[in-house]
Amino acid sequence: MLRMSTLFVRTLRDDPADAELPSHRLLVRAGYIRRAAPGIYSWLPLGYRVLRKVEQVVRSEMDAIGAQEVHFPALLPREPYEASHRWTEYGDGIFRLKDRKGGDYLLGPTHEEMFTLLVKDLYSSYKDLPLFLYQIQTKYRDEARPRAGILRGREFVMKDSYSFDVSDDDFMRSYQAHRDAYVRIFDRLGLDYVIVKAMSGAMGGSASEEFLAVAENGEDTYVRSPGGYSANVEAVRVRVPDPVPYDDAPAAHVEDTPDTPTIETLVAVANERLPRDDRPWAAGDTLKNVVVMLKHPDGRREPLVVGVPGDRDVDTKRLQAHVEPAEVEPFAEEHFARYPGLVKGYIGPQALGERSATGVRYLVDPRVVAGTRWVTGANEPGRHVFDLVAGRDFTPDGTVEAAEVVAGDPAPDGSGPLELARGIEMGHIFQLGRRFADALGLKVLDENGKQVTVTMGSYGVGVSRAVAAVVENSHDELGIVWPREIAPADVHLVATGKDPTILETAGRLASGLEQAGVEVLFDDRPKVSPGVKFADAELIGVPTIVVVGRNLADGVVEIRDRATGSREDVPVGEAVAHLTGLVKG
Ligand code: ATP
Ligand code: MG
């Protein structure tokens, strides 16, 4: 039994200064977590109980599909990550350290390499497969923007599992088993979530899916169509139009367009000075060239110009997802000085591309197909070029999916207009293929005695993140509202008033519940006012609140539902049976 009189908790009336999101505010105020350093948190007794319950949900569902739990160190040697190239690819994203002999180590951001090597160490035949291994473990990533408490930490708890198969067909069964387990996990956590196509990022591999908790404060944006297409916005692929014939297109011509550094000003000036016959110029007629700096994992910096139709912005997260492992940085004022060929506000395709004077790499939106005609920068201040035809007047180095996706865009599979919403990534399942097995030499003998490379999947759940995501999903202005499965206790028993028989009765009720297997958080504090006790109970968020107080004179206790606010009086003699029924369903 947890007693408020001795429990190591101090609830706070005020929000922590650095907290922007409800989950962060409430978990700190209700005494679940405390910040130790940026993106690094300590778990207090209530928080640690919730964390372990989330772990238990995940563990039981992993066990149910036959996965076996192991536990790796967090402190790892460099060599395996060197072999997979991730020692470099992770760039600033990992914590590296040296031992006293100068040997290189890292704190594990994810463990594909270690699992691959362990299986290689012990297994050598197809007969040993399929195999599912998992761990629930602390991971370390030096996130650029740690955020919202435990939602994006630099130290966090992840469940990572890995599947090992000989054939692609077998692998698909393993993948499906994990996907089904994830559905059960997130159902049990009481999350409102969606499953979307995703980008594989640093993991490589062919395909992946994410489980996103629907949350307006989420960092991820996803799309959905009426016909069932769903994807993280990073993974949305533009429908590529057919090339356009341009035989009758006029030659490109440069025009004076003074003071037009933005698309709006350009469109206004074009309509004023160079009106079209058929219709007014629109933003979509222009080609906007946005320059960024790429920082490669080896530290090298390279400018990149991205061309998108002028009615859209570049979505930095989409761009980032497609240039990984490089990082997208802003192109600073001093960089323009170093690349005089890039005229700020008037960058045009003719100065770009491998074979151009600047040599700056130029990638365009897939809609910029051969024959499309554009108004775009002329690489001179105050001038633009008109009727510049893709494939005739300029040749980009390639395409990139970096233009923002907007509501109403067609789904790539033709299943209707897209709508956008936000979510928190809770889980990510990857079809790794043979990348890690190849890099680290994981082979087994197949039925014909031939060495074959094993095919793998990797599957992550953000266990500590789930604690925060559940709170984002389930709270009100008074505090947290835990789903029963992961609440720190089943019942929050509040004794109010100074009458000693009240405290006595409440104590007996608490023991009775405990004996019936109900977890009780008992507010037995003698000198705390009922108002403070109720406020704490609402803040802490245990799903059922039991009040033993004045009503005891009538022989009843009050049972409140934290989620709905409904209240009912139950005879004190029936309270244990009633509550046990409620809690055990
Ligand atoms: P994100 O896009 O949010 O950075 P990721 O793609 O880097 O996530 P994975 O490498 O797939 O994440 O890790 C598996 C799971 O671990 C994620 O789905 C997420 O729930 C969790 N996770 C990842 N990074 C963090 C973090 N910094 N803090 C807490 N949980 C995290
Ligand atoms: Mg990440």
Side-chain angles (χ1 to χ4, degrees):
M1 184 188 315
L2 303 167
R3 290 175 179 273
M4 283 299 276
S5 58
T6 50
L7 185 65
F8 187 60
V9 65
R10 285 287 173 271
T11 56
L12 310 174
R13 291 295 152 234
D14 296 320
D15 289 331
D18 62 335
E20 285 164 17
L21 297 199
S23 60
H24 187 188
R25 278 203 300 273
L26 292 171
L27 287 168
V28 172
R29 275 188 46 208
Y32 286 82
I33 56 169
R34 291 297 289 173
R35 194 182 93 127
I40 306 178
Y41 283 78
S42 309
W43 296 86
L44 306 189
L46 287 177
Y48 199 47
R49 286 174 75 87
V50 175
L51 180 69
R52 279 177 300 168
K53 288 192 177 187
V54 174
E55 284 183 15
Q56 209 38 51
V57 168
V58 174
R59 182 173 283 122
S60 65
E61 295 300 342
M62 294 313 297
D63 291 346
I65 59 167
Q68 301 176 61
E69 187 168 7
V70 298
H71 201 77
F72 277 84
L75 180 60
L76 304 171
R78 168 178 179 156
E79 290 71 24
Y81 288 80
E82 194 68 66
S84 68
H85 306 292
R86 293 209 291 187
W87 176 263
T88 318
E89 276 177 17
Y90 265 111
D92 293 334
I94 51 171
F95 289 98
R96 299 178 175 80
L97 57 165
K98 283 195 190 294
D99 70 3
R100 63 172 73 209
K101 294 183 185 136
D104 282 317
Y105 289 81
L106 75 158
L107 296 177
T110 171
H111 281 68
E112 280 73 11
E113 288 81 350
M114 303 309 292
F115 276 81
T116 309
L117 287 174
L118 186 66
V119 174
K120 177 182 173 181
D121 213 10
L122 296 175
Y123 273 10
S124 55
S125 162
Y126 74 96
K127 290 182 199 142
D128 299 325
L129 305 183
L131 171 69
F132 300 170
L133 296 176
Y134 78 99
Q135 64 175 345
I136 296 176
Q137 211 239 16
T138 306
K139 303 285 195 229
Y140 297 85
R141 295 182 185 179
D142 195 359
E143 298 279 355
R145 281 169 290 280
R147 174 176 178 264
I150 53 171
L151 211 47
R152 180 174 297 285
R154 297 198 295 165
E155 175 180 292
F156 59 97
V157 179
M158 193 203 289
K159 183 287 296 177
D160 46 327
S161 47
Y162 304 85
S163 65
F164 302 85
D165 284 286
V166 175
S167 77
D168 293 346
D169 287 349
D170 289 347
F171 165 72
M172 281 320 293
R173 267 193 292 281
S174 300
Y175 184 83
Q176 192 60 42
H178 274 86
R179 196 178 191 275
D180 294 345
Y182 274 40
V183 166
R184 288 190 291 271
I185 288 169
F186 295 117
D187 283 348
R188 284 178 64 182
L189 294 180
L191 284 167
D192 177 15
Y193 66 93
V194 292
I195 306 174
V196 302
K197 282 192 220 344
M199 293 283 293
S200 304
M203 224 56 89
S206 53
S208 77
E209 289 175 291
E210 284 170 349
F211 289 70
L212 303 180
V214 177
E216 58 189 42
N217 290 322
E219 282 183 275
D220 283 278
T221 304
Y222 67 93
V223 301
R224 271 206 278 203
S225 77
Y229 175 83
S230 63
N232 190 306
V233 78
E234 294 169 1
V236 171
R237 299 205 152 260
V238 165
R239 288 178 79 181
V240 182
D242 290 332
V244 184
Y246 54 83
D247 292 345
D248 60 347
H253 45 110
V254 173
E255 304 288 349
D256 284 328
T257 52
D259 299 322
T260 52
T262 65
I263 297 296
E264 267 169 32
T265 50
L266 172 60
V267 171
V269 166
N271 278 322
E272 194 182 294
R273 299 173 145 227
L274 304 144
R276 290 173 68 119
D277 306 333
D278 51 346
R279 60 169 174 83
W281 290 107
D285 298 319
T286 70
L287 183 58
K288 174 155 72 182
N289 297 304
V290 176
V291 60
V292 297
M293 195 58 105
L294 292 187
K295 184 181 174 203
H296 292 284
D298 59 9
R300 196 167 47 88
R301 284 190 167 75
E302 178 208 6
L304 171 73
V305 176
V306 177
V308 297
D311 56 352
R312 288 171 194 265
D313 282 327
V314 168
D315 176 337
T316 312
K317 280 194 81 181
R318 259 164 69 73
L319 176 60
Q320 176 63 63
H322 287 274
V323 298
E324 271 192 352
E327 270 177 50
V328 177
E329 295 180 341
F331 199 79
E333 210 56 51
E334 74 257 25
H335 295 144
F336 278 104
R338 238 187 291 150
Y339 293 89
L342 299 176
V343 183
K344 194 178 173 187
Y346 299 90
I347 298 173
Q350 285 163 308
L352 303 169
E354 230 175 274
R355 285 185 298 276
S356 71
T358 61
V360 170
R361 199 141 67 93
Y362 184 45
L363 301 176
V364 294
D365 184 79
R367 279 166 284 228
V368 184
V369 291
T372 51
R373 266 196 244 178
W374 302 97
V375 179
T376 188
N379 301 304
E380 292 176 67
R383 307 191 83 190
H384 281 89
V385 57
F386 286 64
D387 292 313
L388 197 76
V389 175
R392 181 189 75 181
D393 304 320
F394 69 99
T395 315
D397 297 313
T399 60
V400 66
E401 293 278 0
E404 64 179 337
V405 174
V406 297
D409 279 352
D413 63 356
S415 59
L418 297 176
E419 63 177 71
L420 279 75
R422 295 183 78 89
I424 299 168
E425 182 188 323
M426 297 312 313
H428 200 164
I429 53 179
F430 296 92
Q431 302 182 11
L432 289 179
R434 296 183 169 80
R435 166 178 179 184
F436 291 93
D438 263 336
L440 298 160
L442 171 58
K443 292 180 195 241
V444 292
L445 291 176
D446 73 4
E447 285 143 88
N448 309 315
K450 261 193 17 220
Q451 293 269 342
V452 289
T453 302
V454 168
T455 182
M456 291 170 56
S458 113
Y459 315 88
V461 170
V463 172
S464 51
R465 177 179 285 184
V467 174
V470 167
V471 178
E472 281 300 323
N473 250 211
S474 183
H475 69 271
D476 60 21
E477 64 289 351
L478 301 173
I480 301 170
V481 183
W482 291 111
R484 209 166 268 298
E485 180 108 45
I486 59 167
D490 296 317
V491 167
H492 190 137
L493 180 61
V494 179
T496 65
K498 299 202 179 70
D499 183 349
T501 63
I502 289 181
L503 204 60
E504 253 173 54
T505 309
R508 271 202 307 278
L509 180 53
S511 308
L513 287 168
E514 190 100 308
Q515 269 159 30
V518 175
E519 291 176 357
V520 182
L521 171 56
F522 180 22
D523 197 343
D524 60 342
R525 291 175 292 179
K527 292 202 179 94
V528 175
S529 76
V532 168
K533 289 186 175 181
F534 293 143
D536 279 347
E538 271 145 358
L539 180 61
I540 288 171
V542 171
T544 303
I545 300 169
V546 179
V547 185
V548 183
R550 271 201 297 271
N551 290 3
L552 203 55
D554 305 326
V556 295
V557 298
E558 187 184 79
I559 297 179
R560 299 183 183 177
D561 185 286
R562 175 66 186 88
T564 63
S566 70
R567 302 172 179 207
E568 64 175 316
D569 285 342
V570 173
V572 64
E574 295 167 21
V576 170
H578 183 95
L579 287 162
T580 310
L582 204 69
V583 168
K584 308 276 175 197

